Amino acid sequence: MMKKIIKYITVALVAGVVFNSCESTELDLTSDPNALTPSQANPDFYLNAAQQRFAEVVQELGEDGAEVVRIENMGTRNYQNAYSPANFDTAWERAYQETIKNLRDMNVLAEEAELYYHIGMGQVMEAYTITLLVDYFGDVPYSEAIQAPDILNPNIDSGADIYAAALSLLDEAIANFGKTSSSLPDIDFYYNGNAQAWIKAANTLKLRLHVNTGNTAAFNSIISSGNYIQTNDEDFQFTWGVNEVQPDTRHPEYNAKYTNQGTEQYMSIWLMDLMQTTDDPRIRYYFYRQSETTPGAPGVAPNEETLACSLTTPPDHYVTGGYAYCSLPNGYWGRNHGNDEGIPPDGFLKTAPGVYPAAGKYDDSSFGEVALGAGGGGAGITPMLLASTVDFWRAELLMASNPVAARPFILSGIQKSIDKVTEFGSLDTEADLSVGPTPTDESTFVAIIGTEFDDAEGTDKWNVLADQLFVSLKGNGHDAYNFYRRTGYPNDLEPSLEPDPGAFIRSFFYPANAASNNQFIEQKSGVTVQVFWDTNPASPAFPPAN
């Protein structure tokens, strides 16, 4: 653990040097005379900086994706106003300036020194980053990006062209990992020098792109090769540290929600209710309850000061749909989708993130308050590509033609998720893990979901798949957000509290700085613009659960 902390301190200090020297408002439009140039810098410095910034981009955008599909809580009633363009300025800059640019600068040195492993790592991260931007924003700059001062206003490329470029980049990465490098990176935060693991991650990213575009033949070709992420120990993820200051290396969610003022924001009532009512064995790992009861829950008096909605009646569309409203039993204290009430004095009452994936506290029913350093201290993960997700993708592609064949992949995805999540309990060394689920509880849960799938009729089978995929994606909203736009399931997803919240976000507004500074980026008039692979009906007809 100490070696890992030292590595994080080192990379953060190095990153600070590189980042402070490279910043500008729009895709490196200006040249900083104090910046490190490729001839002056060490390729490991560039790679280290890019690795951490890449993780931050994935984490930040993943939170937004998770919020709109109810894995996390969205606190705005209207989709059009939920995420302002300025909300994305930081992620955009980190993606272009601090990830892709650092990787491009690294390549100048790496190519000369035959550092093929370095280059391969960068190519996978660049392909992931640029396709992530397509998935969230649609058409974005790529072929002309990072070319200042020659190109100050990079033109946008179509999402389809960027996907094609990313697939080519992944092929190049795989080839580079097959070459003999003159040396390995000083720090490989993801696979610790394992080229074969990187190749599997590259192929698994291809699987995501093929699922999005409906290229079943290409997807199945990779599956037939067996050269992709299949087990939890092969997962593509970033592991955070426990250092609190100078630099802060903790998981961003832990950093924001384990404070001296308690926890900020709210957990999703939809997700907590789904997991509680199905006896999901992962619930104690995902959520930490600070309170044994929630105001307004059955047998509990309401409290206007700490939970205003506990004194109000649910809106009609919640009543008719049978959705859980405001107060869940057993102390699961969160908010419904679109609840925009103010923040009462509930920092030491509401449910906080658990030990997975942010390395908070494991919920052993002790109901203590969160605090700095509590639980796993923030040494959690940002999941990027998981073995469990691949199983759900395989199930998805079988659903239309052969739901029976999809069933084992759904159950396998659930089991892999449970196995992964429950390993995190050990991060909270003070927790009593004996109160948690037993192996029998876990196998019973998987069997019950299998029976639920068997008994489901029509589109309800899709809802079973979607629910379990979403639960498995705690910490990674990308694949749930993509799935929802691809399929429209679950079609019984908790609605917004607002009866008419506007059309669902098919793509987000462009970042404010990008739209203001680049003449080729015209800000969208709304959030209903579909990304190239989203060929479903236009909003508001799709998706049905809004």
Side-chain angles (χ1 to χ4, degrees), residues 282 387-399 402-418 445-454 456 460-470 472 483:
R282 292 163 288 189
S388 56
T389 307
V390 175
D391 286 342
F392 284 110
W393 286 337
R394 297 183 71 179
E396 177 186 343
L397 295 182
L398 288 166
M399 280 293 289
N402 192 352
V404 173
R407 182 185 190 274
F409 292 112
I410 297 173
L411 302 188
S412 175
I414 296 170
Q415 188 62 62
K416 287 177 182 177
S417 175
I418 292 172
F445 172 77
V446 175
I448 288 173
I449 298 300
T451 301
E452 181 183 351
F453 182 83
D454 294 338
D460 284 342
K461 288 187 184 295
W462 275 100
N463 288 333
V464 174
L465 164 61
D467 284 348
Q468 293 307 312
L469 170 63
F470 282 24
S472 75
F483 179 90

Side-chain angles (χ1 to χ4, degrees), residues 279-499:
D279 292 325
D280 194 307
R282 292 163 288 189
I283 193 168
R284 289 182 181 270
Y285 299 84
Y286 282 12
F287 305 108
Y288 177 75
R289 294 168 294 169
Q290 298 186 92
S291 174
E292 192 171 1
T293 60
T294 306
V300 184
N303 187 316
E304 184 177 15
E305 181 183 13
T306 57
L307 193 61
C309 63
S310 66
L311 285 169
T312 63
T313 57
D316 290 343
H317 60 295
Y318 266 61
V319 175
T320 57
Y323 298 102
Y325 173 73
C326 185
S327 304
L328 295 177
N330 302 315
Y332 288 100
W333 189 319
R335 281 191 172 179
N336 291 107
H337 189 62
N339 186 325
D340 62 351
E341 295 173 356
I343 307 298
D346 61 358
F348 293 108
L349 297 170
K350 60 193 173 191
T351 299
V355 72
Y356 182 89
K361 287 177 67 65
Y362 172 81
D363 189 343
D364 58 3
S365 299
S366 58
F367 304 110
E369 296 179 351
V370 300
L372 285 171
I381 64 166
T382 293
M384 297 175 175
L385 294 167
L386 303 181
S388 56
T389 307
V390 175
D391 286 342
F392 284 110
W393 286 337
R394 297 183 71 179
E396 177 186 343
L397 295 182
L398 288 166
M399 280 293 289
S401 60
N402 192 352
V404 173
R407 182 185 190 274
F409 292 112
I410 297 173
L411 302 188
S412 175
I414 296 170
Q415 188 62 62
K416 287 177 182 177
S417 175
I418 292 172
D419 292 344
K420 182 180 187 68
V421 169
T422 53
E423 288 182 354
F424 277 66
S426 61
L427 293 179
D428 186 351
T429 57
E430 297 181 355
D432 179 7
L433 300 181
S434 67
V435 304
T438 66
T440 300
D441 295 331
E442 295 169 7
S443 60
T444 299
F445 172 77
V446 175
I448 288 173
I449 298 300
T451 301
E452 181 183 351
F453 182 83
D454 294 338
D455 294 342
E457 297 181 358
T459 60
D460 284 342
K461 288 187 184 295
W462 275 100
N463 288 333
V464 174
L465 164 61
D467 284 348
Q468 293 307 312
L469 170 63
F470 282 24
V471 172
S472 75
L473 289 172
K474 180 72 169 172
N476 170 9
H478 315 300
D479 292 307
Y481 181 44
N482 288 349
F483 179 90
Y484 191 52
R485 289 179 293 170
R486 284 198 308 269
T487 69
Y489 295 103
N491 62 16
D492 57 357
L493 198 60
E494 174 190 283
S496 176
L497 282 178
E498 174 62 42

Side-chain angles (χ1 to χ4, degrees), residues 170-359:
L170 292 168
D171 285 336
E172 294 174 19
I174 291 169
N176 279 317
F177 284 121
K179 297 177 181 177
T180 301
S181 295
S182 60
S183 66
L184 295 178
D186 287 344
I187 301 173
D188 173 358
F189 280 114
Y190 297 89
Y191 289 119
N192 196 30
N194 186 335
Q196 290 305 309
W198 274 103
I199 290 173
K200 289 184 177 182
N203 279 325
T204 306
L205 180 53
K206 286 186 182 182
L207 291 178
R208 173 192 279 175
L209 305 185
H210 293 323
V211 169
N212 281 343
T213 58
N215 192 341
T216 304
F219 182 96
N220 288 336
S221 177
I222 294 173
I223 294 297
S224 297
S225 75
N227 202 10
Y228 61 93
I229 294 172
Q230 298 187 57
T231 60
N232 290 341
D233 61 344
E234 297 170 341
D235 285 347
F236 188 37
Q237 61 193 32
F238 184 83
T239 303
W240 300 89
V242 296
N243 208 57
E244 291 183 9
V245 293
Q246 297 180 342
D248 188 340
T249 64
R250 299 169 300 166
H251 192 288
E253 281 292 283
Y254 184 94
N255 189 9
K257 296 174 182 175
Y258 277 73
T259 74
N260 289 329
Q261 292 74 45
T263 188
E264 299 178 1
Q265 301 178 346
Y266 292 86
M267 299 295 100
S268 163
I269 280 184
W270 174 79
L271 185 59
M272 291 191 295
D273 180 59
L274 172 65
M275 297 182 74
Q276 184 174 196
T277 55
T278 57
D279 292 325
D280 194 307
R282 292 163 288 189
I283 193 168
R284 289 182 181 270
Y285 299 84
Y286 282 12
F287 305 108
Y288 177 75
R289 294 168 294 169
Q290 298 186 92
S291 174
E292 192 171 1
T293 60
T294 306
V300 184
N303 187 316
E304 184 177 15
E305 181 183 13
T306 57
L307 193 61
C309 63
S310 66
L311 285 169
T312 63
T313 57
D316 290 343
H317 60 295
Y318 266 61
V319 175
T320 57
Y323 298 102
Y325 173 73
C326 185
S327 304
L328 295 177
N330 302 315
Y332 288 100
W333 189 319
R335 281 191 172 179
N336 291 107
H337 189 62
N339 186 325
D340 62 351
E341 295 173 356
I343 307 298
D346 61 358
F348 293 108
L349 297 170
K350 60 193 173 191
T351 299
V355 72
Y356 182 89

Side-chain angles (χ1 to χ4, degrees), residues 53-69 72 83-85 87-96 128-137 140 208 252 382-383 475-479 481-482 485 508-509 511:
R53 284 312 200 208
F54 166 61
E56 291 171 353
V57 172
V58 176
Q59 175 68 34
E60 185 173 343
L61 290 179
E63 279 292 305
D64 297 327
E67 288 171 8
V68 295
V69 295
E72 303 295 345
Y83 302 91
S84 72
N87 184 74
F88 301 106
D89 284 340
T90 299
W92 185 271
E93 182 172 322
R94 285 175 177 168
Y96 283 106
Y128 193 116
T129 300
I130 199 62
T131 54
L132 195 64
L133 295 179
V134 170
D135 292 343
Y136 278 77
F137 302 109
V140 296
R208 173 192 279 175
T382 293
N476 170 9
H478 315 300
D479 292 307
Y481 181 44
N482 288 349
R485 289 179 293 170
F508 290 89
F509 284 115

